């Protein structure tokens, strides 16, 4: 016999954005992050071209993955989890590449 389900409203899995995902909101957030990161990486091409291009390619790929997730399938909590994970990975890799570019820019030559 199961009793009433107690939910904790502070848990990430109980948030409305995860349980009932709005693809437009997730894609807007991802697109904004991608545009800002790509602009920063584009300005970094003269400094460290390889890492800048890797960052640009990754941002485009992550936005494409979020777009595919948003256009495919029903709106379920599973889709919300995928949105959240992809956006977190997109942000984390953007930060990592920016830090690598900054280290390379300030590292002494030779």
């Amino acid at each position: 016999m199961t009793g009433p389900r107690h939910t904790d409203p502070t848990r990430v899995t109980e948030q409305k954005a995860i349980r009932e995902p709005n693809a437009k909101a997730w894609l807007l957030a991802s697109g904004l992050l991608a545009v800002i990161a790509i602009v920063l990486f584009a300005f970094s091409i003269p400094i460290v071209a390889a890492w800048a291009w890797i960052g640009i390619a990754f941002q485009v790929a992550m936005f494409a993955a979020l777009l595919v997730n948003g256009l495919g399938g029903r709106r379920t909590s599973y889709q919300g989890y995928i949105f959240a994970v992809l956006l977190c990975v997109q942000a984390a890799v953007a930060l990592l590449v920016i830090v690598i570019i900054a280290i390379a820019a300030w590292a002494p030559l030779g």
Side-chain angles (χ1 to χ4, degrees):
M1 197 162 156
T2 61
R5 182 176 176 216
H6 297 327
T7 60
D8 182 2
T10 61
R11 290 184 55 157
V12 172
T13 57
E14 297 297 327
Q15 301 302 310
K16 185 177 180 184
I18 300 292
R19 288 184 292 114
E20 301 166 17
N22 178 355
K24 289 179 186 177
W26 285 102
L27 292 174
L28 178 66
S30 175
L32 186 62
L33 174 63
V35 166
I36 292 169
I38 289 170
V39 167
L40 289 173
F41 296 150
F43 283 122
S44 301
I45 289 175
I47 300 167
V48 185
W51 280 106
W53 283 112
I54 289 169
I56 290 170
F58 192 83
Q59 290 301 311
V60 170
M62 290 306 294
F63 182 74
L66 273 130
L67 191 61
V68 167
N69 186 47
L71 296 177
R74 297 178 288 138
R75 301 287 178 258
T76 63
S77 62
Y78 184 69
Q79 186 183 34
Y81 294 129
I82 294 172
F83 274 131
V85 168
L86 289 175
L87 192 60
C88 286
V89 170
Q90 181 183 10
V93 171
L95 179 62
L96 178 68
V97 172
I98 285 292
V99 168
I100 290 171
I101 288 172
I103 289 170
W106 289 314
L109 297 176

